[in-house]
Amino acid sequence: EEAHKAVSIFLDDGVDAPLQEKGAGLQSLLLIALFQLYSRKFHQGSTLLLLEEPENHLHPHARRVLAQSLISFCQGDQGDAENRHRQVILTTHSEDFVRLSEPESLKIVRIESEEANKTSRFWQLDSLDNSSYPRWKRVLWRNPEIVFSRHVILVEGGEVYLVPEIASKLCEEKGILD
């Protein structure tokens, strides 16, 4: 029962050293990877992983690798005979997670303040049809910071993607400007 207290994890990222001497970002990555391994090997039911700003203390390349790893985790392993449902819910300020996400899976929470009355407002894209999905995917790939902005200024080129979507939403008619 006490054997686990004597175990030390060493990590070689160019310098072989105990895990507690590594940075917070690397420690977080290892913890997420261990959870994913545990879920794949031992968890027989549905799995939910909640993460708060997993991009903190990570190099940009490590953020992209983590984002792709979480997507692969949700999609399941090839050859996985059982249909296990895996879901990741995370809060982020990283464009890398937005860029790799499906547009319909993004949920935006904003705190709106009216002096003493603070309320949270949730926003998401409605279910996208086949014509608007590629547009939103391109917008989020090229300009993922749009998700984190309070206001967006359209400049040359942006109107090609956003104005038709805005017009469809306002007029409640799909493809009104097509």
Side-chain angles (χ1 to χ4, degrees):
E1 292 181 21
E2 301 293 318
H4 71 280
K5 293 180 180 177
V7 173
S8 294
I9 298 175
F10 280 76
L11 194 60
D12 186 359
D13 62 341
V15 177
D16 193 19
L19 181 62
Q20 61 268 22
E21 293 179 15
K22 300 298 181 178
L26 202 52
Q27 290 180 23
S28 295
L29 284 178
L30 182 62
L31 187 62
I32 292 168
L34 287 172
F35 177 82
Q36 290 177 336
L37 179 65
Y38 172 81
S39 295
R40 286 184 177 114
K41 297 291 182 187
F42 302 109
H43 199 233
Q44 300 302 316
S46 297
T47 302
L48 174 62
L49 175 59
L50 301 170
L51 300 169
E52 183 176 3
E53 297 188 6
E55 72 273 10
N56 286 350
H57 309 290
L58 290 179
H59 185 276
H61 179 70
R63 285 194 305 257
R64 290 188 294 273
V65 170
L66 175 59
Q68 190 58 54
S69 168
L70 294 173
I71 290 169
S72 297
F73 175 69
C74 287
Q75 292 173 345
D77 303 319
Q78 289 185 352
D80 191 1
E82 297 179 30
N83 186 13
R84 295 187 185 122
H85 181 70
R86 296 183 184 135
Q87 184 177 12
V88 175
I89 298 174
L90 60 91
T91 60
T92 187
H93 289 100
S94 173
E95 297 172 359
D96 297 309
F97 290 99
V98 172
R99 193 173 269 130
L100 292 173
S101 296
E102 293 298 322
E104 293 173 320
S105 72
L106 295 172
K107 312 294 187 262
I108 299 168
V109 181
R110 297 214 193 275
I111 297 174
E112 295 183 350
S113 176
E114 296 177 14
E115 295 181 20
N117 187 15
K118 289 187 178 183
T119 59
S120 295
R121 197 176 114 211
F122 295 85
W123 179 85
Q124 71 182 44
L125 291 171
D126 296 329
S127 48
L128 301 173
D129 59 19
N130 290 337
S131 65
S132 60
Y133 176 84
R135 286 186 194 149
W136 277 108
K137 192 69 175 167
R138 279 193 304 268
V139 167
L140 294 174
W141 181 257
R142 290 183 182 167
N143 303 311
E145 67 275 2
I146 198 170
V147 171
F148 306 110
S149 304
R150 288 198 179 273
H151 304 285
V152 177
I153 298 173
L154 295 178
V155 295
E156 187 175 344
E159 76 282 354
V160 173
Y161 304 108
L162 292 178
V163 170
E165 293 300 322
I166 293 169
S168 294
K169 183 80 171 171
L170 291 174
C171 297
E172 297 178 358
E173 184 180 331
K174 296 280 184 189
I176 191 163
L177 293 182
D178 288 348

